[in-house]
């Protein structure tokens, strides 16, 4: 950057490469260095931080419904996990069953499940095998 005789400020342009993949936010620093040895650079403001906010978000996951209901004689309980507010990149989520009044191995098969979301996919379904104790 070159300052003319009466110039008191200059603008700096930095090109940011826009990609299409999710990644954490990134940052870099911009330093003022006196190349001419004729000017003074403030020691308290000679570095600034540039933060690049990722605009390719993978989205947020949630169950389609807060409660699912199944009849004991059904073979499976089937539900969905939805991906909202973004669908960039391939992601996965693990579902883990936690016993309450129904017990894994007695009332249902509670093996952990992994759901995969392909790039731009917004819904994945899961099935939990049920055990009919009235047979």
């Amino acid at each position: 950057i070159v300052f003319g005789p009466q110039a008191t400020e200059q603008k700096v342009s930095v090109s940011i490469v826009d990609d299409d993949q999710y990644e954490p936010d990134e940052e870099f620093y911009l330093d003022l260095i006196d190349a001419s040895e004729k000017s003074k650079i403030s020691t308290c403001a000679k570095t600034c931080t540039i933060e690049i906010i990722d605009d390719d978000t993978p989205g947020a996951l949630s169950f389609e419904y807060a409660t699912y209901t199944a009849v004991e004689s059904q073979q499976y309980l089937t539900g969905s996990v939805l991906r909202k507010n973004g669908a960039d990149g391939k992601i996965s989520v693990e579902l883990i069953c936690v016993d309450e009044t129904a017990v894994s191995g007695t009332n249902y098969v509670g093996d952990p499940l992994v759901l995969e979301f392909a790039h731009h996919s917004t819904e994945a379904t899961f099935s939990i095998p049920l055990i009919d104790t009235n047979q």
Side-chain angles (χ1 to χ4, degrees):
I1 302 172
V2 177
F3 285 83
Q6 301 300 319
T8 59
E9 78 177 49
Q10 291 284 3
K11 294 188 181 207
V12 176
S13 294
V14 178
S15 296
I16 305 295
V17 177
D18 186 17
D19 58 24
D20 292 329
Q21 293 298 318
Y22 169 74
E23 57 199 347
D25 294 342
E26 300 165 316
E27 64 181 40
F28 65 94
Y29 304 99
L30 194 57
D31 289 334
L32 292 174
I33 299 172
D34 185 6
S36 69
E37 298 179 9
K38 294 180 182 177
S39 59
K40 281 187 157 182
I41 296 176
S42 170
T43 57
C44 62
K46 69 178 188 173
T47 299
C48 74
T49 302
I50 311 296
E51 184 175 16
I52 303 171
I53 306 296
D54 186 49
D55 62 356
D56 305 306
T57 62
L61 302 178
S62 64
F63 287 105
E64 182 177 20
Y65 302 109
T67 302
Y68 289 86
T69 303
V71 177
E72 189 174 30
S73 59
Q74 286 178 231
Q75 287 187 313
Y76 296 93
L77 168 85
T78 302
S80 293
V81 173
L82 304 179
R83 183 182 192 184
K84 297 180 179 181
N85 302 319
D88 195 71
K90 180 181 174 182
I91 63 170
S92 63
V93 64
E94 185 175 14
L95 304 180
I96 298 174
C97 297
V98 179
D99 291 348
E100 182 74 24
T101 55
V103 177
S104 179
T106 302
N107 306 106
Y108 68 96
V109 178
D111 295 335
L113 304 168
V114 175
L115 298 182
E116 300 277 341
F117 288 82
H119 181 60
H120 288 182
S121 173
T122 59
E123 183 175 0
T125 59
F126 61 89
S127 291
I128 298 172
L130 302 177
I131 300 169
D132 188 352
T133 59
N134 291 325
Q135 292 184 358

